[in-house]
Amino acid sequence: MKLSKIMAVTALVAGLAVPVWAAQSNLSITADTLEYDGNSGIARANGNVVIINEDKTMTGKTGWYNTKTQEADLSGGVSMIGSDTSLSAQTLHSTNNEQLQATGNVRLQKENKQVFGDTVTYNTKTEYGTSRGNAKLVMDDAVLTGDYVQGWLNEIRATAQGNVTLHSAKHNLDASADNAVYTQTPGQDDGVAYLTGNAHAVQNGNVLNAPELKLEMKDNSVQTVGGRSTLIITPQQ
């Protein structure tokens, strides 16, 4: 069954929104024009699309929703607002109302943590996410960047690969490496970072270069893990 063409045209001319309610609870789709196929379960929407599914509201210029597979796809200035998570991007694909894949200048926020990237995936139940291309993870007291970043936001446990940087204004720290592993207890000042491959750290004007470094935020310490290292100490004025 499909919504009639007359209904769609009327909605477009009048500038009204036509809603569709799916059989599953707490789901509604609203747009300037809608076409719904009851056999496939696909609703195609154009213009000021709003999909409300349980605790999440997704908006975009165009999109579709499959009521049978619970998949949503939106493009054009996309936004998603959930109970504790928000996202903005150019495109967004959602599966089972929990697995998100977004592309194009993506910004994801979960409480006080943020993820940026060209392509971001995130699961709202496991809180595991990945970011590829201009990847950046903003945490309580540190910012981790790289070509690729992945981690669990609920644990603040992340790894970064390629052109890695770690910045902490609170601890006056800037570091870089080929790879990094960062862990922190949420709400605690106990971040620990392991940097491997051309590790370089600058803290309070002092410079340390080594194959591997261990940085501990709690006591502002930097340790070499292995290999030949160089420490350059800047005299305090």
Side-chain angles (χ1 to χ4, degrees):
M1 152 179 108
K2 292 187 178 181
L3 291 177
S4 68
K5 292 182 179 179
I6 295 176
M7 187 176 184
V9 171
T10 301
L12 179 61
V13 172
L16 301 175
V18 179
V20 165
W21 286 271
Q24 63 197 85
S25 60
N26 302 318
L27 169 66
S28 70
I29 306 168
T30 308
D32 292 339
T33 61
L34 274 170
E35 182 182 84
Y36 179 66
D37 187 329
N39 292 323
S40 65
I42 296 177
R44 299 190 182 279
N46 286 282
N48 300 305
V49 180
V50 179
I51 300 175
I52 301 175
N53 192 358
E54 296 179 358
D55 65 328
K56 298 179 183 64
T57 299
M58 297 176 285
T59 65
K61 291 183 179 179
T62 63
W64 56 262
Y65 187 89
N66 191 317
T67 60
K68 293 185 177 180
T69 63
Q70 297 187 48
E71 289 181 84
D73 195 271
L74 288 165
S75 62
V78 174
S79 72
M80 185 218 70
I81 299 177
S83 57
D84 61 0
T85 305
S86 63
L87 179 147
S88 63
Q90 288 303 306
T91 70
L92 172 64
H93 188 88
S94 172
T95 306
N96 294 326
N97 198 36
E98 63 182 59
Q99 182 64 39
L100 309 174
Q101 179 170 331
T103 64
N105 197 27
V106 185
R107 176 183 177 274
L108 170 75
Q109 179 150 0
K110 161 71 175 178
E111 298 172 342
N112 62 338
K113 296 173 283 293
Q114 299 178 77
V115 178
F116 299 83
D118 297 334
T119 300
V120 172
T121 67
Y122 182 69
N123 189 291
T124 58
K125 286 193 174 180
T126 64
E127 299 190 27
Y128 169 78
T130 68
S131 178
R132 189 180 300 276
N134 298 303
K136 179 166 67 172
L137 172 60
V138 181
M139 298 163 286
D140 290 342
D141 62 355
V143 178
L144 180 66
T145 73
D147 296 334
Y148 177 77
V149 175
Q150 65 173 338
W152 288 261
L153 297 187
N154 54 340
E155 303 175 26
I156 312 186
R157 177 162 56 98
T159 63
Q161 301 171 8
N163 300 304
V164 174
T165 68
L166 179 67
H167 169 73
S168 176
K170 179 178 180 180
H171 297 279
N172 197 23
L173 170 70
D174 282 286
S176 62
D178 296 333
N179 303 282
V181 177
Y182 184 90
T183 59
Q184 181 185 342
T185 305
Q188 300 297 316
D189 187 18
D190 61 355
V192 177
Y194 288 91
L195 307 179
T196 61
N198 301 305
H200 170 82
V202 180
Q203 188 171 45
N204 298 319
N206 301 320
V207 181
L208 185 59
N209 297 306
E212 299 181 24
L213 291 174
K214 178 184 179 182
L215 315 178
E216 294 192 59
M217 303 296 188
K218 189 172 184 179
D219 57 5
N220 291 326
S221 68
V222 181
Q223 307 171 33
T224 61
V225 178
R228 188 175 179 83
S229 308
T230 302
L231 172 64
I232 302 173
I233 300 176
T234 302
Q236 299 297 316
Q237 299 297 325

